[in-house]
């Protein structure tokens, strides 16, 4: 079978010019940090893409500084997009990558592994696909090579041998022939589709983690099941390869590299498999891979072949017609089938790969201890932001998380009060731990202010704060109904040691803000020092014997019953521990009743005038009312339908023919 590389000068066609693209495709990838051997492999792969055509532009999804530094060497042909969803370890979400890619106006979209090298026949294959009158999804597997003695010229246009001579087609073919192993059960597959309004499949794309298994195969199986697009395998006409590296950690982020080997186990892959079994039809129905046509090239002619049904679909350059196939005479069919005689194996292995990963799943669980999680999460000041949440507040938790992500606040951690929240948080890529002493039977309760459930939950918060303080970390406790306009930590750091800075719950616009029972235990900053730890121990002990929530315990313990420890209008001093409690300026840290801010027509604008850093969505009864108020105010950051943070992406129009990998 001919694999038609064209002229392997790395981008030259038979007439000596650069390959032209029929349409400006949009391609995307998510590289690891550009360090070590992984950085070299990614650099070589990306340069191979750029060398295929001057039309090609590359966009990299990453938040790592080394990726931005690499992209700076290529000018306008290489962009970095950090504004998608990532896990706390820096792993991008596949569904967010796809959504961002589709937000651009482009004729073709392509997703590709960052270490996959492409050869020139990619351009000719994509051109043939673009000529189709149908909507299509192209998939292609890569070759796993252990020996690749070639490198690119400095301008990326020519593949060279060690002696500096250009590589011939025959020499490339020999390398591929020596590498029969296909990457079928990994995420090395290339996906490309014509970018029309028609979706790739029915339903929602789950929040898969990129590069952690399942997502490519899941998209293929769902696209085949819904039959909205013509799905075909171009592995035989697109020459792509990657290096065989048994210790390949190319998808390891900077934070992930801080973890031990045991902590980098397959929880991410287990999560993807679990999502694959929960969404779509792949878990419940046998996917009919016999419907997957194969694009091949025999005697310099492109053909679609279905090996199961023994049907050949002829292709002409002027207009492809996938669905109107012609069944060739038996003598010609035998000749063609001999040309493509290994394709059945491709279907069987793809089917086995997906089915195996969706069944008999181990439990979804983090391998991190609380100490190791904090060591990865904490900022340079050894500070963490702690949220405590149960399942009924999962959407508000995610809106809070999305807001912190937008503000580039990454040192937050979630304490899950139930197993449902714990699993939900893992699948959303959050740094989460379970509180083993949390009250039971709260998963689906409406734990709003004043309920017995609320009283039990609030006491779990102070216990967890105390535990983290004893581990040597400062804690900013923030309820998930606190909306952050800006990062408040720089302001809170101005309060020195032996000071607990807390929000005031006083609603009157004038007068003292440290009146009895006006300390809000839903937003406070506690340093890991001896006075604070001793004072928090007293709060936890008091709350354990109280029939109320923890908030009265905070005030009565630290400020004294009836406010006997008050100093001035905004402080208290606990006499035994000598801890100062500072009540925060309400213009900067307003509660939900202060100045009627939540009732303003434009809450964001009025809070900006006040200089608000945060705004607490309290002083309202009931979870649903709280949700409604926050959503209607425009201070909502999460789309529960897509399980993605809301992004302010513009529908970008590409000003020149571009392809983004």
């Amino acid at each position: 079978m001919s694999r038609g590389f064209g002229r392997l000068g790395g981008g030259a066609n038979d007439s000596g010019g650069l390959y032209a693209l029929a349409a400006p495709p949009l391609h995307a990838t998510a590289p690891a940090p550009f360090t070590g051997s992984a950085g070299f492999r990614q650099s070589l792969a990306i340069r191979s893409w750029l060398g295929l055509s001057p039309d090609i532009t590359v966009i990299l999804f990453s938040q790592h500084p080394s990726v931005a530094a690499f992209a700076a060497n290529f000018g306008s042909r290489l962009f970095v997009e950090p504004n998608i969803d990532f896990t706390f370890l820096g792993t991008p979400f596949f569904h967010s990558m796809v959504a961002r890619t589709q937000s651009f106006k482009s004729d073709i979209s392509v997703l590709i592994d960052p270490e996959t090298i492409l050869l020139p026949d990619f351009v000719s294959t994509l051109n043939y696909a673009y000529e189709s009158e149908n909507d299509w999804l192209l998939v292609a597997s890569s070759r796993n090579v252990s020996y690749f003695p070639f490198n690119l010229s400095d301008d990326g246009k020519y593949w060279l041998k060690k002696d500096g001579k250009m590589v011939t087609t025959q020499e490339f073919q020999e390398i591929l022939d020596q590498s029969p192993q296909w990457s079928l059960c990994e995420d090395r597959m290339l996906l490309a589709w014509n970018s029309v309004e028609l979706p790739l499949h029915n339903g929602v794309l789950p929040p898969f983690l990129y590069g952690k298994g399942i997502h490519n195969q899941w998209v293929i199986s769902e696209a085949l099941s819904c039959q909205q697009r013509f799905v075909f395998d171009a592995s035989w006409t697109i020459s792509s390869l990657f290096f065989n590296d048994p210790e390949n950690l190319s998808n390891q982020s900077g934070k992930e590299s801080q973890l031990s080997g045991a902590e980098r186990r397959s929880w991410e892959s287990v999560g993807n498999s679990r999502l694959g079994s929960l969404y779509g039809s792949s878990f419940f129905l046998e996917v009919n891979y016999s419907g997957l046509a194969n694009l091949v090239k025999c005697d310099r002619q492109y053909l679609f072949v279905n090996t199961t049904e023994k049907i050949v679909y002829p292709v002409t350059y002027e207009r492809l017609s996938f669905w109107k196939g012609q069944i060739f005479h038996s003598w010609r069919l035998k000749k063609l089938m001999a040309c493509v005689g290994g394709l059945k194996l491709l279907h069987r292995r793809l089917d086995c790969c997906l089915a195996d990963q969706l069944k008999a799943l181990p439990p979804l669980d983090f391998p991190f201890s609380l100490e190791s999680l904090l060591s990865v999460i904490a900022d340079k000041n050894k500070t963490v932001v702690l949220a405590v949440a149960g399942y009924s507040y999962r959407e508000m938790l995610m809106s809070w998380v999305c807001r912190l992500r937008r503000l580039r606040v990454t040192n937050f951690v979630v304490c899950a009060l139930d197993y449902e929240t714990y699993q939900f948080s893992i699948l959303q890529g959050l740094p989460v731990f379970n509180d083993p002493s949390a009250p039971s039977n709260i998963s689906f309760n409406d734990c709003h202010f004043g309920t017995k459930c609320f009283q039990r939950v609030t006491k779990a918060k102070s216990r967890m704060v105390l535990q983290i303080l004893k581990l040597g970390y400062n804690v900013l406790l923030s309820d998930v109904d606190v909306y952050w306009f800006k990062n408040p930590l720089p302001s809170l750091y101005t309060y020195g040691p032996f000071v607990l800075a807390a929000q005031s719950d006083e609603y009157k616009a004038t007068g003292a803000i440290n009146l009895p029972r006006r300390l809000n235990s839903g937003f406070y900053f506690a340093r890991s020092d001896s006075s604070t730890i001793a004072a928090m121990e007293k709060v936890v002990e008091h709350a354990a014997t109280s029939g109320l929530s923890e908030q009265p315990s905070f005030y009565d313990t630290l400020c004294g019953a009836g406010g006997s420890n008050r100093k001035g209008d905004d402080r208290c001093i606990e006499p035994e521990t000598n801890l100062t409690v500072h009540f925060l300026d309400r213009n900067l840290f307003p509660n939900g009743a202060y100045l009627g801010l939540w009732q303003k027509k434009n809450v964001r604008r009025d809070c900006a005038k006040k200089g608000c850093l945060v705004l607490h969505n309290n002083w309202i009864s009931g979870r649903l009312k709280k949700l409604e108020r926050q959503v209607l105010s425009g201070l909502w950051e999460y789309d529960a339908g897509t399980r993605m943070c809301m992004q302010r992406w513009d529908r970008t129009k590409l000003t020149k023919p571009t392809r983004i990998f």
Side-chain angles (χ1 to χ4, degrees), residues 558-601:
L558 302 180
C559 293
S564 58
N565 299 333
R566 290 175 54 202
K567 298 294 180 182
D569 291 338
D570 61 359
R571 288 176 298 137
C572 296
I573 297 180
E574 204 286 313
E576 293 184 4
T577 61
N578 202 33
L579 177 72
T580 296
V581 179
H582 184 90
F583 288 73
L584 293 165
D585 183 347
R586 289 177 300 166
N587 287 323
L588 300 179
F589 301 91
N591 60 64
Y594 181 63
L595 298 180
L597 288 172
W598 282 108
Q599 284 71 48
K600 301 295 183 182
K601 184 176 181 180

Side-chain angles (χ1 to χ4, degrees), residues 106-362:
S106 176
D107 295 309
I108 298 174
S109 296
V110 179
L111 290 174
I112 185 171
D113 175 79
E115 293 186 10
T116 296
I117 293 172
L118 288 178
L119 301 182
D121 55 7
F122 169 79
V123 173
S124 57
T125 299
L126 211 61
N127 278 338
Y128 271 98
Y130 179 69
E131 292 298 317
S132 169
E133 63 185 7
N134 302 100
D135 297 320
W136 49 268
L137 170 64
L138 175 156
V139 303
S141 298
S142 299
R143 296 289 186 100
N144 186 339
V145 302
S146 57
Y147 176 70
F148 190 74
F150 311 134
N151 210 331
L152 280 169
S153 60
D154 291 339
D155 59 8
K157 295 181 180 179
Y158 305 101
W159 284 102
L160 305 175
K161 295 180 287 187
K162 290 182 179 180
D163 60 8
K165 294 182 180 180
M166 290 176 55
V167 183
T168 65
T169 301
Q170 182 178 356
E171 289 170 318
F172 257 117
Q173 190 66 59
E174 289 174 355
I175 292 292
L176 293 174
D177 290 343
Q178 294 171 8
S179 306
Q181 296 299 318
W182 294 90
S183 173
L184 297 175
C185 288
E186 300 179 29
D187 289 304
R188 303 282 186 174
M189 284 183 172
L190 179 153
L191 301 181
W193 62 92
N194 62 319
S195 302
V196 295
E197 295 300 324
L198 184 70
L200 294 177
H201 58 86
N202 293 329
V204 174
L205 181 59
F208 292 120
L209 299 184
Y210 178 72
K212 305 302 179 180
I214 290 294
H215 52 75
N216 285 334
Q217 297 95 324
W218 188 93
V219 168
I220 295 167
S221 65
E222 291 301 308
L224 284 168
S225 297
C226 72
Q227 298 183 343
Q228 294 185 130
R229 288 174 176 266
F230 179 77
V231 184
F232 65 96
D233 190 336
S235 299
W236 298 93
T237 59
I238 292 178
S239 301
S240 61
L241 54 94
F242 65 95
F243 296 124
N244 180 21
D245 185 356
E247 298 182 358
N248 182 12
L249 296 176
S250 63
N251 285 326
Q252 187 181 126
S253 70
K255 286 186 176 181
E256 190 174 359
S257 63
Q258 301 175 39
L259 302 174
S260 68
E263 291 169 333
R264 290 196 302 267
R265 289 171 185 165
S266 60
W267 61 269
E268 293 169 311
S269 299
V270 172
N272 275 12
S273 297
R274 189 172 296 274
L275 289 169
S277 67
L278 293 174
Y279 287 78
S281 59
S282 302
F283 181 78
F284 303 100
L285 301 173
E286 283 295 328
V287 179
N288 182 16
Y289 286 96
S290 64
L292 184 63
N294 295 269
L295 181 64
V296 299
K297 195 173 185 182
C298 294
D299 299 326
R300 298 185 179 182
Q301 180 184 8
Y302 281 99
L303 297 168
F304 284 99
V305 177
N306 185 311
T307 57
T308 302
E309 300 179 11
K310 295 184 178 181
I311 296 177
V312 175
Y313 302 84
V315 178
T316 61
Y317 182 80
E318 291 78 14
R319 179 63 64 183
L320 304 183
S321 182
F322 295 140
W323 299 110
K324 298 176 182 178
Q326 173 185 347
I327 301 178
F328 283 67
H329 293 294
S330 59
W331 64 269
R332 179 112 185 251
L333 182 59
K334 290 179 180 180
K335 180 180 179 181
L336 293 172
M337 296 305 290
C339 182
V340 293
L343 294 180
K344 275 192 176 181
L345 178 62
L346 201 65
H347 294 156
R348 288 201 302 271
R349 292 190 61 186
L350 184 63
D351 190 9
C352 175
C353 172
L354 186 59
D356 290 348
Q357 295 185 65
L358 295 184
K359 293 179 173 62
L361 298 177

Side-chain angles (χ1 to χ4, degrees), residues 12-67:
N13 61 22
D14 291 338
S15 62
L18 293 174
Y19 278 110
L21 292 164
L26 183 77
H27 299 207
T29 194
F34 278 83
T35 57
S37 59
F40 170 78
R41 294 191 298 270
Q42 291 179 156
S43 175
L44 185 63
I46 293 170
R47 290 175 61 224
S48 78
W49 310 339
L50 292 170
L52 292 176
S53 169
D55 296 338
I56 292 175
T57 301
V58 177
I59 288 187
L60 309 175
F61 293 116
S62 177
Q63 295 178 329
H64 199 274
S66 67
V67 178

